[in-house]
Amino acid sequence: MSTEHDVTTGISRRTLLARTGAVAAALAVGPVLGGIRPARAATGWRVPGEETLHTRTWMAWPSSYTIWGNVLTKIQADIAKLAKEIAKYEPVIMCADGSSAASQARSACGSTVTVISSIPVSDCWMRDTGPLFRTDGAGGLDAFGLNFNAWGENATTFYGLPYSAYDKDRTVAQKVAAYAAVPFAKASVVGEGGGVECDGDGTLMATESCWVNSNRNPGKTKAQIEAELLARFGASKMIWLPGVTGQDVTDGHIDGTARFVRPGVVMVQLAGAVRPDVWTTNAQAIHDVLVNATDAKGRALQVIAIEGPDTLPRISQGKQAQFLSSYMNWAVTNRAVITVQFGDTAKDAAAKSAIEAAFGRPCVQLNLDNLYGNGGGGAHCVTMQEPSR
């Protein structure tokens, strides 16, 4: 396992503050692209919990110098490391943008990862760009998309990237569904898979900052957004959580702070000493809501709290506040949970033990400093599971 001692300055997905006066420019969002089909009835069709059996995991190979600049090769190395680890436990399909990128991905990922070039991609964030798969309990499988718009066009607002930089990712969801040969529909809301957690048993949780936001869903009420998400996921209860707007490109995705382990059980990471106060306060607020919440079946949630790292010994002091120091952004596979280690020996070990105890399966911790630092996203952000029928 490599141990980088620093993270080269590059485009950070989460942690750059919005430029003064630039936020307003991102608030005008165009209409949802493509035809919208009504959601299927919630009864029967549902997005399963991530802990259930998968057919495979979908990923995307980053190859855009426009997006990544001089840290591109380091991001690619972390994506390859993660893909090879996941492939030990279930099949992985890596989408690459054309034959040249596919050749590069095959060389980096090796023979255990299937690389295809027929689905063009802009970047690596398959959790946010890919489809959400649903099952009907009788062998049926379909999928829907959340109309990815580059995190409310925050990619332009935060980083100055052109609108066109993410054009290919706006159509990834339907193309993955077509490759998997399943019916596909577009939701009537705009958002990202990393912005909503699903227990597969009727309950969702999400931060208001991601969804009730004019950069994604102008003119829609919280009730309208909630109704559409519940219908699409096959759920009946939404737990709305506080979030953080304008501090990172995602507007505070839930999957860095709170995750379902299984129905009735949620894990929350309270911020360690390296996180800025705004995230520390938000994590505590999310925890406080969840310990008093019930799920769709009326169960009081079992809330398991862990703590983030207090030190990031491989990361320079000036970059620590911008680092996504979250154990929670794990990827669940059929036989293991893949997360990270940050070099804080005590906190790394405590997180590993808590995750293994919660899931009842091994927890593998990787050094993914470049993805979590320069990328500002993690193992969950760059994967999308396809459930078994």
Side-chain angles (χ1 to χ4, degrees):
M1 181 182 297
S2 62
T3 306
E4 295 83 9
H5 294 284
D6 197 4
V7 177
T8 303
T9 300
I11 295 173
S12 172
R13 178 169 169 269
R14 289 181 181 268
T15 54
L16 292 180
L17 296 179
R19 298 185 180 105
T20 302
V23 174
L27 298 183
V29 179
V32 174
L33 299 178
I36 298 171
R37 296 191 300 178
R40 295 177 190 255
T43 302
W45 288 92
R46 65 185 177 89
V47 176
E50 293 181 32
E51 80 284 0
T52 59
L53 191 65
H54 303 168
T55 296
R56 54 195 168 193
T57 286
W58 289 86
M59 297 182 68
W61 183 253
S63 59
S64 171
Y65 188 82
T66 297
I67 292 173
W68 288 108
N70 62 4
V71 300
L72 176 60
T73 57
K74 292 184 177 183
I75 298 299
Q76 290 172 334
D78 275 5
I79 292 293
K81 183 190 298 185
L82 177 62
K84 288 188 287 187
E85 187 64 35
I86 294 173
K88 295 177 182 178
Y89 310 105
E90 63 187 63
V92 176
I93 294 184
M94 181 78 70
C95 301
D97 191 28
S99 58
S100 178
S103 177
Q104 187 181 45
R106 291 187 187 103
S107 177
C109 295
S111 60
T112 61
V113 175
T114 299
V115 179
I116 62 173
S117 60
S118 56
I119 300 177
V121 294
S122 302
D123 206 351
C124 58
W125 309 111
M126 186 61 80
R127 178 65 47 181
D128 294 346
T129 64
L132 283 300
F133 291 96
R134 307 190 306 181
T135 60
D136 66 356
L141 186 71
D142 74 359
F144 66 93
L146 291 169
N147 305 294
F148 178 73
N149 73 339
W151 310 282
E153 303 307 336
N154 279 341
T156 298
T157 304
F158 277 56
Y159 315 136
L161 292 174
Y163 179 90
S164 60
Y166 283 94
D167 277 356
K168 294 172 183 176
D169 280 352
R170 299 171 201 273
T171 62
V172 164
Q174 53 263 51
K175 290 177 179 177
V176 168
Y179 187 98
V182 300
F184 176 80
K186 292 188 176 189
S188 63
V189 293
V190 174
E192 305 87 37
V196 59
E197 274 285 303
C198 171
D199 74 347
D201 197 35
T203 309
L204 306 181
M205 60 181 179
T207 58
E208 292 189 39
S209 55
C210 289
W211 295 94
V212 192
N213 191 323
S214 58
N215 67 7
R216 292 173 174 85
N217 292 297
K220 290 187 181 294
T221 66
K222 183 168 74 170
Q224 290 171 326
I225 295 165
E226 176 179 316
E228 174 67 354
L229 289 174
L230 291 175
R232 292 290 174 182
F233 277 84
S236 58
K237 180 168 184 177
M238 171 69 82
I239 301 174
W240 285 110
L241 298 166
V244 177
T245 303
Q247 295 291 314
D248 77 318
V249 76
T250 73
D251 291 307
H253 273 181
I254 188 60
D255 66 352
T257 305
R259 305 286 306 279
F260 281 114
V261 173
R262 58 183 175 275
V265 181
V266 65
M267 187 175 286
V268 180
Q269 179 174 309
L270 302 178
V274 297
R275 294 295 277 159
D277 287 346
V278 64
W279 296 108
T280 300
T281 301
N282 185 246
Q284 186 64 56
I286 287 173
H287 173 272
D288 292 348
V289 171
L290 290 173
V291 296
N292 292 296
T294 56
D295 66 11
K297 301 299 174 64
R299 295 171 293 215
L301 293 176
Q302 177 189 347
V303 180
I304 304 168
I306 66 170
E307 294 183 354
D310 292 324
T311 63
L312 297 171
R314 298 188 295 261
I315 309 303
S316 64
Q317 189 68 36
K319 297 173 184 175
Q320 292 190 7
Q322 299 181 1
F323 194 94
L324 177 64
S325 52
S326 172
Y327 299 110
M328 307 299 298
N329 203 266
W330 59 57
V332 182
T333 74
N334 286 337
R335 292 183 288 115
V337 180
I338 315 301
T339 187
V340 284
Q341 51 87 359
F342 299 116
D344 182 330
T345 305
K347 290 297 184 69
D348 289 349
K352 176 180 170 68
S353 295
I355 293 168
E356 287 183 336
F359 279 95
R361 64 186 77 176
C363 174
V364 179
Q365 292 182 305
L366 302 177
N367 174 352
L368 299 173
D369 283 355
N370 287 291
L371 182 62
Y372 279 69
N374 293 308
H380 191 246
C381 297
V382 298
T383 56
M384 178 60 78
Q385 74 283 350
E386 181 183 328
S388 295
R389 296 173 185 249

